[in-house]
Amino acid sequence: MARIDEFKRFVIRQYGLLEPLNWDQDCAEHLYLKNKFWNTLVEIERDHRTAYRIVIDADEAVAEMNLKIQDIKDYIFAQDEQRKEARKQHRSKKGSHTKAFDEKMKELKGQVRELSPQAKELRQKVRDQAKEALGQLEQQRKEAVKKAYQDSGLWWSNYNDVIDRYNTARVRAMKTGTELKFHRFDGSGGFRCQIQGGMTVEELLSGRYNIAQIRMVDQGCFAELRGGLERKSKQSYGSRNYKRGYGVLSITVYTDKDEGGKHRRRMLDFAIILHRPLPVEATLKELRVVRKRIGTDFRWDVTFTFTEKAAPIVHTHPEKFCGIKLGWKAVKGGLRVATIFDGESKPSHIVMPQVIVDKLIYVEGLRARIDTMTNENYEWLLKQVNEEAPKSLAEVFESLKRAKHPHPAKFAKMVGTWSNFEGYLPDVFEKADLRQKMCRRLSLEHQNLRDKMLRRREDFYRCRAKEITEEFGVIVLDKMDLRWMATREKANGEPTELHPKARHTRNLAAISVLREWIVKQSAKTGAQINTLNIASSTICHKCGSKVKAGSGIVRSCLSCGTSWDKDENAAINLWRAISQVANLK
Ligand SMILES: [Zn+2]
C-alpha cells in the first residue's frame, strides 16, 4: 500500500508583551553579549573574506583584470567629480554642461559590465585550482566561530540563535556581494527558546517545562500584574475581546552555576494577552521574545513557531481563474493597486482606502517636519554657542559643526552634555532643551504612527489577498520585475523614466507587499499562482495589435479604435492567456 507522505505546515503566531515583571541587569547583559558575539562573528567573516580574496587575487590573470576594472572605476569616479563641479558652476543639475560627462560615464559603465562576466570566469577558475588552500581557510573560519561561541559567555540557545542568523546573513552577503555589518548595541535584541523535540500547546500551558510556559490568569489578576489599573471589561459575549486570554509567559533566558556550583536557571516573566488562541493541534518548535527600542522606550513581543500536520490542500474552486494586474493609480476613494478579471463580470479593482493613503502621507509629512526642525535647530545652535564654552561641550559642538547631515540624536547629545554645565548660558540652554524635547515628541509620534500605518496597510493587503485566493483556484500575475521598478537606473546607466511623483505614489502603494500576500495566502487556500511573462500591457485585448507605450491610464488602440483602461486591458490579457491553455485541456 502506498504511504501518503505526511504534510507539515508552519504556523506562526505573534503576540505583544508587556514590560517583563522581573527584568534585571543580568538580562540586559545577555542581550549585550549576544550583540557582542554577533560583532565578533562579523569580524571573523571579514578576516575570512580578506584572506579568501588574497588567495584569489594571487592569480596573475585575476589581478590584472581587477586592476583593469579598478582603473575604469577610478576614471568614472573622476568624471563624476568633474560633473559635480560643472553642476556647481552652472547651478543646474542637467544641461549641456553635463552632457559630455554623462555620455562618457555611460560608456565606461558599459565597459565594466562587459568585463564582469570575464572576471567572474577567471575567479571561478582560480577557485577550482586553489581548492585546498580555500578549504583550509574554511576550516580556520569554522574553528574561529567555534572558539568565539565558547568564549561568548552565552547559553547554548542564545549563541545558536546568533550563529543561525550569521549563517543566513553570510550566504546572502556572498550572493549579493555585500559585507556583513557590525551592530551598534542600543538595548534591542531578543531571546530564542528552541524546544528540542517540540512541545504541545497543552504542555506549554501545563507549566511542566522550564524552557517555556504560559500560566493563564483571569482578568482581575492580570490587571494587578500590570500595575493594578483594572480597565473596564470589554469582554461582552460575542465581542472581539471575548475570546481573549490573559496569562503570564515565562521563558528561560539562560542557565549557569551559582557560587556553590549549583545549577541555576534564569526565568523571565511577561504579562501576555492572547488576542487569538494558540493552535491547539500544533507542535511548538521555537519561540522568540524580542525587545525593540522605539525612541526612548522598549517594545516587546513574542513569536511562536509551530508545525502542524495537515493534509495537502485542495482548492475549493479549482475551475475558477482570474488575471490580476498590479499597479498604482490614484482614483476616487483611494489608491487603486490591483485590477482583477475573471472572464465573467466586468474587471474589478482593489482600492486602498483614502484614509490609509492620507495617513501615510501625513507620516511622510512628519518626517519632513522633523528634518526641517533639525536643520533649524542646528542653524540656531551654531549661532548661540561662543568661544567661552567649557572644553567637553566645545568638543561636542565641534563634531556637530563637522557633521554632514544634521541629526536629531546629535542635537540631543549636545543638549545632554550641556546639562552638565549649569552655569554656561542657562537661558540659551533652556531654549535648546525645549527645542530638543519638541523634536523628540515629533519623532516618537512619527515612529509610532508609521509602525501603525504600515501594519494597517499590510492588514488590508492580507485580507484582500485572502479573499482573492479563496475565490479563485488559479491566479495569473504579470511577471513584472519589482526589483527593476525600484532601481533608479536602467541596465545601460540611464535613469528610469519614473517621475518623482509616480515614485512617491508607488511607495505609498507598496504593491510588492500585496503580491507577497497573494503568494502567502495561496499557499493556505491551495490556489495556484502563475506568473506570465507576456506583453500584457502593450497588446490590445480587442484586436490583438500592438499598442505604443504611452502615459495615462486610458489608452486608445490605433488599429480598432477602442479605448480602454490600461490595467483592465492587461488583466484581460493575463486571464485570456491562461484561459486558452485551460480550454485546450
Ligand atoms: Zn485594438
Side-chain angles (χ1 to χ4, degrees):
M1 216 175 88
R3 199 177 128 258
I4 297 167
D5 273 330
E6 214 166 67
F7 196 81
K8 271 195 184 148
R9 179 163 63 195
F10 282 106
V11 181
I12 313 283
R13 285 277 194 280
Q14 193 178 60
Y15 302 95
L17 295 174
L18 300 175
E19 289 271 305
L21 302 167
N22 48 355
W23 178 259
D24 214 334
Q25 204 46 47
D26 61 329
C27 298
E29 166 92 14
H30 271 254
L31 288 185
Y32 171 75
L33 286 178
K34 279 185 87 176
N35 187 79
K36 194 175 150 204
F37 180 41
W38 167 267
N39 286 341
T40 312
L41 291 180
V42 173
E43 230 173 270
I44 291 171
E45 186 63 16
R46 290 194 174 187
D47 289 347
H48 174 73
R49 296 302 299 168
T50 312
Y52 187 91
R53 268 182 221 119
I54 289 172
V55 172
I56 302 284
D57 294 351
D59 183 79
E60 263 177 42
V62 171
E64 199 182 317
M65 178 58 89
N66 282 349
L67 264 180
K68 215 162 150 186
I69 293 178
Q70 194 52 50
D71 271 353
I72 303 175
K73 281 188 174 166
D74 288 345
Y75 195 36
I76 294 176
F77 181 77
Q79 292 286 316
D80 193 33
E81 287 295 302
Q82 285 181 33
R83 187 173 66 177
K84 270 186 204 155
E85 209 40 55
R87 276 175 176 164
K88 234 187 242 167
Q89 271 173 17
H90 287 78
R91 290 171 175 267
S92 134
K93 206 163 178 193
K94 227 169 161 58
S96 54
H97 59 283
T98 60
K99 208 172 165 223
F101 296 118
D102 287 342
E103 272 166 17
K104 188 76 203 163
M105 279 164 73
K106 199 172 132 188
E107 187 200 321
L108 292 167
K109 281 183 185 171
Q111 285 177 14
V112 173
R113 254 190 308 279
E114 262 170 45
L115 286 177
S116 63
Q118 290 176 39
K120 211 173 163 185
E121 208 175 293
L122 284 172
R123 282 198 301 268
Q124 185 56 48
K125 227 166 97 190
V126 181
R127 263 202 292 276
D128 293 341
Q129 283 163 1
K131 237 179 199 150
E132 206 173 304
L134 294 177
Q136 256 171 20
L137 282 183
E138 178 64 9
Q139 196 55 39
Q140 281 167 15
R141 185 189 68 83
K142 279 184 181 157
E143 273 158 26
V145 170
K146 195 174 165 194
K147 186 164 183 319
Y149 74 66
Q150 282 164 350
D151 296 347
S152 68
L154 287 166
W155 184 49
W156 64 271
S157 191
N158 288 328
Y159 68 64
N160 271 345
D161 182 22
V162 182
I163 291 175
D164 286 352
R165 273 189 292 134
Y166 158 73
N167 284 331
T168 319
R170 71 184 291 262
V171 171
R172 196 188 318 131
M174 275 188 271
K175 264 190 202 154
T176 53
T178 48
E179 273 201 277
L180 295 191
K181 286 194 181 72
F182 291 108
H183 289 167
R184 194 174 60 86
F185 185 63
D186 67 351
S188 302
F191 298 111
R192 182 177 69 164
C193 298
Q194 276 175 301
I195 293 141
Q196 287 169 326
M199 186 195 287
T200 63
V201 170
E202 200 196 332
E203 284 168 331
L204 177 70
L205 297 175
S206 75
R208 262 182 285 159
Y209 297 91
N210 286 326
I211 181 100
Q213 44 186 262
I214 295 181
R215 179 167 56 94
M216 299 306 283
V217 296
D218 63 28
Q219 214 186 350
C221 178
F222 186 81
E224 243 168 66
L225 282 174
R226 60 185 297 171
L229 295 159
E230 181 158 10
R231 285 195 288 185
K232 267 197 187 143
S233 172
K234 285 181 186 162
Q235 286 191 312
S236 57
Y237 183 79
S239 81
R240 199 166 69 112
N241 290 345
Y242 180 69
K243 280 186 190 155
R244 263 189 185 179
Y246 297 88
V248 178
L249 168 73
S250 306
I251 58 160
T252 298
V253 175
Y254 62 89
T255 63
D256 62 358
K257 295 212 165 78
D258 64 11
E259 290 87 31
K262 250 182 96 186
H263 185 74
R264 185 168 59 176
R265 182 180 286 270
R266 173 64 152 109
M267 305 284 287
L268 195 57
D269 307 329
F270 300 88
I272 182 175
I273 301 175
L274 299 169
H275 59 274
R276 59 190 290 209
L278 292 161
V280 186
E281 301 282 295
T283 309
L284 180 62
K285 290 289 185 185
E286 149 184 334
L287 67 89
R288 178 189 290 278
V289 168
V290 172
R291 182 190 203 219
K292 189 177 161 203
R293 181 184 278 279
I294 302 281
T296 48
D297 299 327
F298 289 104
R299 191 174 290 164
W300 291 85
D301 61 48
V302 57
T303 308
F304 295 94
T305 307
F306 297 92
T307 55
E308 193 178 55
K309 274 182 216 155
I313 315 150
V314 181
H315 199 275
T316 35
H317 307 289
E319 77 293 347
K320 287 187 81 175
F321 46 85
C322 73
I324 303 181
K325 173 73 186 174
L326 300 178
W328 53 91
K329 167 101 182 90
V331 291
K332 210 174 158 211
L335 195 58
R336 191 171 95 184
V337 288
T339 305
I340 306 161
F341 185 67
D342 65 358
E344 281 164 29
S345 35
K346 267 176 60 181
S348 60
H349 303 284
I350 297 179
V351 177
M352 184 173 19
Q354 193 65 43
V355 230
I356 300 183
V357 180
D358 287 345
K359 283 258 172 71
L360 283 167
I361 292 172
Y362 177 72
V363 169
E364 281 180 359
L366 279 180
R367 177 76 257 166
R369 265 169 68 195
I370 294 167
D371 289 344
T372 320
M373 193 184 268
T374 310
N375 284 335
E376 282 170 7
N377 283 351
Y378 264 57
E379 210 172 300
W380 171 82
L381 189 72
L382 294 181
K383 280 186 206 139
Q384 307 297 328
V385 183
N386 54 29
E387 275 99 50
E388 285 126 56
K391 192 164 168 270
S392 47
L393 194 59
E395 273 167 16
V396 185
F397 181 67
E398 275 307 311
S399 81
L400 213 63
K401 249 187 190 169
R402 277 195 309 271
K404 268 187 189 158
H405 305 286
H407 195 279
K410 284 182 191 144
F411 190 83
K413 193 181 164 201
M414 171 80 191
V415 176
T417 316
W418 198 338
S419 67
N420 299 326
F421 301 95
E422 261 175 48
Y424 181 66
L425 300 178
D427 299 351
V428 186
F429 167 74
E430 219 165 86
K431 280 181 195 154
D433 192 39
L434 207 65
R435 279 171 181 260
Q436 193 266 116
K437 278 185 182 135
M438 272 169 71
C439 196
R440 201 179 73 184
R441 203 177 314 138
L442 215 55
S443 297
L444 269 179
E445 190 193 347
H446 173 254
Q447 269 163 347
N448 282 324
L449 195 62
R450 185 171 180 274
D451 266 20
K452 192 172 141 192
M453 290 324 294
L454 294 189
R455 268 204 301 273
R456 228 174 120 182
R457 179 172 69 193
E458 186 149 5
D459 275 352
F460 174 74
Y461 283 165
R462 194 186 65 219
C463 295
R464 294 294 88 72
K466 185 162 184 267
E467 289 165 10
I468 299 168
T469 53
E470 276 172 353
E471 187 175 353
F472 299 102
V474 182
I475 293 167
V476 191
L477 290 169
D478 204 353
K479 191 185 178 178
M480 49 175 172
D481 191 348
L482 294 161
R483 249 186 323 179
W484 173 81
M485 293 201 300
T487 53
R488 289 167 189 210
E489 232 175 49
K490 279 191 200 165
N492 61 8
E494 281 173 18
T496 50
E497 291 100 35
L498 210 52
H499 190 268
K501 202 175 160 200
R503 197 180 294 142
H504 174 237
T505 320
R506 181 198 63 196
N507 290 343
L508 289 176
I511 49 172
S512 57
V513 180
L514 175 59
R515 199 185 167 99
E516 257 170 47
W517 272 110
I518 292 176
V519 174
K520 272 191 214 162
Q521 297 285 26
S522 66
K524 286 190 197 164
T525 63
Q528 197 192 107
I529 303 280
N530 294 285
T531 39
L532 289 188
N533 200 4
I534 58 166
S536 63
S537 310
T538 51
I539 301 283
C540 167
H541 72 271
K542 280 269 184 211
C543 67
S545 52
K546 206 165 158 35
V547 188
K548 262 196 187 167
S551 57
I553 198 80
V554 177
R555 306 275 171 82
S556 297
C557 170
L558 293 175
S559 299
C560 68
T562 330
S563 289
W564 31 252
D565 178 305
K566 106 177 151 53
D567 287 340
E568 292 182 0
N569 178 60
I572 294 169
N573 282 331
L574 287 168
W575 169 83
R576 188 166 290 158
I578 201 79
S579 71
Q580 278 163 357
V581 179
N583 288 337
L584 284 176
K585 270 185 197 162

